[in-house]
Amino acid sequence: MPPNAPARGSGSCGSLNRPPRTRRLSVEQASESTPLLAAGDIAPTADSEISEVTTLISEPSSSSEVDPDDKPLPVAQIVVLCYARWIEPVAFFSIFPYINKMAQENGNLADADVGFYSGLIESLFSLTQMAVMILWGKAADRFGRKPVLVISLMGVTLATAMFGMAKTISQMILFRCLAGVFAGTIVTIRTMISEHSTTKTQARAFSWFAFTGNLGILFGPLIGGALADPAEQYPGLFGNIQFFKDYPYALPSFAVGGIGVTAVLVTAFLAEETLESNIFGGGRDAESGAPAKPAPMTTWDLLKSPGVPIVLYTYGHIMLLAFSFTAIVPVFWFTRIDLGGLGFTPLQISLLMGLNGLAQAIWILLVFPPLQHRIGTNGVLRVCAIAYPFFFAICPFFSLLLRNGGSTGETIFWFIMPALLCLGCGVSMSFTAIQLALNDVSPSPVTLGTLNALALSLVSGVRSFSPALFASLFAISTRTQWLWGYAIWVLMVLLALGYTVISRYMPDPDELRRQRERRRDLDEDGLLNVGGLTGVTIAGAEAHTE
């Protein structure tokens, strides 16, 4: 046996006792960069050689380390994704101004039946969206974010353009459900923004994301209302075009479809893929030689991951509060004062809804990022959780002020109501904060798409029933005059208090991160130990052969 055989064995065993970073690189160097049969090169024969190898390997890794959280936000990519995000609320809300009239004309419905069928069409959209959301999330995790996003945008664009051509209730349901099937846009965009941002930049990125959604909610109804039945609205331009007489709701659908086409093109040519190629390629990364990332977790395993269940529940609870309030407040503003409402005119409702949207944009764009940086995501969620019950409780107070305050009460009402409405809109920061909390509890980047899909499936399920349910509860409250017509607000305050309680149990993202790092280090150490032992075995076999 050659005299350096024992040195080879001791060198391999000694590598197991080095720090993890050094051990990993030395094993890779021995296994990939050095001929296996060059015995003297695999294991140093003297302590000085061991020291030299260790120094050469470990120093560059420590000096080249860069904090990944310092990566700047790719503004151009965020803008592209926000534009793609804009089309979804535009397509969803563009039909609201004319869907009731369209359903009545297509189905020859009585006035009393219109609300049922229009509500059914929107509920089926949300139910369809809920059924396919997880599939889109898994597809994005498996095949890549960009192809799923482009295909989803194409489907939404086509289904929305076809909706205006429907001539029966069945066709309206079909095209609307088809739009729900291609609901992968929102989950994929959320995931891509998460992957483009860091813990330091995600608040700003998702503020833009939320603001873009508000713009879609603003422009969608404007497009639908301005372009519906153009032959009737603009007889000088479209009055002689028979097509628009036969299909009075085709123009707004085509307009939204045209916007969708631009979103498809912008995304296809400008958006960058954010999922590493080795996710579904297997083997080792071509550049670094590191092991490929693990396959995505099963949905059940993901649901059992630390922090995931409570964050998903909180996400659903916040969305329930949002959807129920959105369903109640227009009816509350319109209902007569003596029945428990505010008795606003349509113009007053429009102005206050515009003020509401402006206030939400200010809170999300200007207040949320520095506040989240100062008190953290959980801090923002808890502040909103404290504010929610007061925000709901103030609504019946406004009605009481108008009901019993006379002219003085009306003056006080118009002095304080707009200001308190703008102040209360700060609770909208919880919508963005809970998205950041969802990102924080994701076990790994591989599962981010599926986790977002789970959350949005939950949201779609809540949206499928909550508007109709809470609008009906408000009607029952005013009709029976329980608690002078304010029983619905007692229910809303109780629901908000539930969020106040659950917000105290949100997981600490830093602790979850440390737990994942410790688990990952243990897994890597186990793999490296196996690799080191394998190196010992190979070295012993070579020595025996020699």
Side-chain angles (χ1 to χ4, degrees):
M1 181 177 294
N4 59 351
R8 179 186 308 154
S10 62
S12 298
C13 292
S15 69
L16 296 178
N17 297 321
R18 298 176 193 166
R21 183 189 305 277
T22 304
R23 182 171 68 245
R24 182 189 316 162
L25 293 174
S26 60
V27 169
E28 289 177 357
Q29 186 184 39
S31 60
E32 297 180 13
S33 304
T34 310
L36 286 176
L37 297 181
D41 293 335
I42 294 178
T45 57
D47 292 341
S48 61
E49 294 182 49
I50 295 175
S51 175
E52 181 181 359
V53 172
T54 304
T55 303
L56 289 174
I57 293 171
S58 60
E59 283 181 356
S61 63
S62 61
S63 62
S64 62
E65 283 185 354
V66 178
D67 186 357
D69 287 346
D70 289 334
K71 183 183 73 172
L73 187 69
V75 175
Q77 286 299 303
I78 299 300
V79 170
V80 168
L81 293 174
C82 284
Y83 183 68
R85 189 275 187 271
W86 183 62
I87 185 61
E88 193 266 344
V90 167
F92 182 81
F93 289 98
S94 63
I95 73 170
F96 277 36
Y98 61 81
I99 186 173
N100 292 313
K101 186 177 179 183
M102 183 180 182
Q104 186 173 36
E105 293 175 354
N106 286 344
N108 295 317
L109 304 176
D111 291 344
D113 296 332
V114 171
F116 170 78
Y117 282 97
S118 61
L120 176 65
I121 292 170
E122 293 312 313
S123 295
L124 289 175
F125 172 89
S126 297
L127 287 172
T128 306
Q129 192 178 46
M130 179 182 67
V132 302
M133 192 70 76
I134 295 177
L135 298 178
W136 283 113
K138 286 185 174 293
D141 284 341
R142 179 174 177 83
F143 302 110
R145 318 301 192 200
K146 184 175 178 177
V148 169
L149 177 57
V150 172
I151 292 172
S152 299
L153 285 172
M154 292 173 61
V156 169
T157 298
L158 180 62
T160 304
M162 294 171 63
F163 182 81
M165 301 289 290
K167 298 298 291 183
T168 65
I169 295 292
S170 298
Q171 290 176 352
M172 292 174 67
I173 292 175
L174 174 63
F175 294 142
R176 201 57 173 166
C177 287
L178 186 62
V181 167
F182 290 95
T185 55
I186 186 68
V187 61
T188 310
I189 292 170
R190 284 176 184 263
T191 305
M192 294 178 76
I193 289 179
S194 299
E195 291 169 336
H196 273 306
S197 56
T198 68
T199 55
K200 292 183 179 180
T201 60
Q202 63 179 351
R204 184 155 55 103
F206 277 97
S207 295
W208 295 351
F209 173 85
F211 176 69
T212 307
N214 287 338
L215 287 181
I217 295 172
L218 170 65
F219 282 100
L222 289 178
I223 294 172
L227 299 182
D229 200 0
E232 179 70 23
Q233 288 200 77
Y234 313 106
L237 291 175
F238 302 101
N240 296 325
I241 302 177
Q242 188 62 36
F243 176 82
F244 289 119
K245 292 181 180 179
D246 296 336
Y247 300 95
Y249 307 104
L251 185 60
S253 293
F254 290 167
V256 175
I259 297 173
V261 169
T262 65
V264 171
L265 295 176
V266 167
T267 304
F269 289 105
L270 299 180
E272 296 177 358
E273 178 59 69
T274 58
L275 186 68
E276 288 92 342
S277 59
N278 64 348
I279 291 296
F280 51 88
R284 304 174 72 84
D285 184 81
E287 296 181 0
S288 64
K293 293 186 178 180
M297 302 168 64
T298 65
T299 302
W300 181 243
D301 288 338
L302 184 58
L303 285 171
K304 295 188 296 181
S305 299
V308 169
I310 190 170
V311 170
L312 285 176
Y313 173 80
T314 306
Y315 202 128
H317 200 127
I318 290 173
M319 291 300 106
L320 177 64
L321 295 176
F323 293 143
S324 58
F325 181 76
T326 302
I328 291 172
V329 73
V331 188
F332 171 64
W333 286 351
F334 179 77
T335 300
R336 297 200 319 261
I337 296 173
D338 61 297
L339 294 179
L342 299 183
F344 287 169
T345 65
L347 176 60
Q348 289 172 330
I349 292 175
S350 299
L351 292 175
L352 284 171
M353 291 190 76
L355 179 64
N356 179 80
L358 177 62
Q360 285 193 26
I362 292 173
W363 278 103
I364 292 172
L365 278 178
L366 303 182
V367 179
F368 175 74
L371 185 64
Q372 189 270 345
H373 179 72
R374 183 176 181 84
I375 66 176
T377 301
N378 284 350
V380 174
L381 287 170
R382 287 166 185 157
V383 168
C384 294
I386 294 172
Y388 251 116
F390 293 100
F391 180 55
F392 289 157
I394 203 72
C395 293
F397 167 77
F398 289 144
S399 180
L400 284 170
L401 191 60
L402 290 176
R403 180 183 282 190
N404 302 317
S407 58
T408 303
E410 185 174 354
T411 302
I412 296 173
F413 169 85
W414 285 111
F415 181 75
I416 65 172
M417 189 271 184
L420 290 178
L421 176 64
C422 293
L423 185 63
C425 285
V427 299
S428 62
M429 293 188 296
S430 61
F431 310 151
T432 305
I434 193 60
Q435 175 63 48
L436 303 191
L438 192 72
N439 296 343
D440 289 336
V441 299
S442 179
S444 75
V446 180
T447 61
L448 193 56
T450 304
L451 184 57
N452 273 283
L454 283 171
L456 291 174
S457 296
L458 180 63
V459 170
S460 298
V462 172
R463 187 168 62 180
S464 68
F465 72 86
S466 56
L469 173 63
F470 282 89
S472 300
L473 291 175
F474 179 85
I476 294 172
S477 175
T478 56
R479 187 181 302 118
T480 61
Q481 284 295 293
W482 290 348
L483 298 177
W484 305 280
Y486 303 133
I488 185 64
W489 295 111
V490 175
L491 175 61
M492 294 298 293
V493 169
L494 291 175
L495 289 174
L497 287 173
Y499 168 41
T500 306
V501 172
I502 200 67
S503 69
R504 310 304 301 177
Y505 298 94
M506 290 292 291
D508 181 5
D510 293 331
E511 178 59 29
L512 285 176
R513 195 174 299 114
R514 286 191 292 269
Q515 290 178 7
R516 287 195 293 267
E517 289 174 354
R518 286 195 295 268
R519 192 178 303 112
R520 186 161 52 246
D521 289 342
L522 290 173
D523 292 341
E524 289 178 356
D525 288 347
L527 290 173
L528 290 169
N529 285 335
V530 172
L533 291 173
T534 303
V536 174
T537 304
I538 293 173
E542 292 169 4
H544 181 71
T545 302
E546 293 174 358

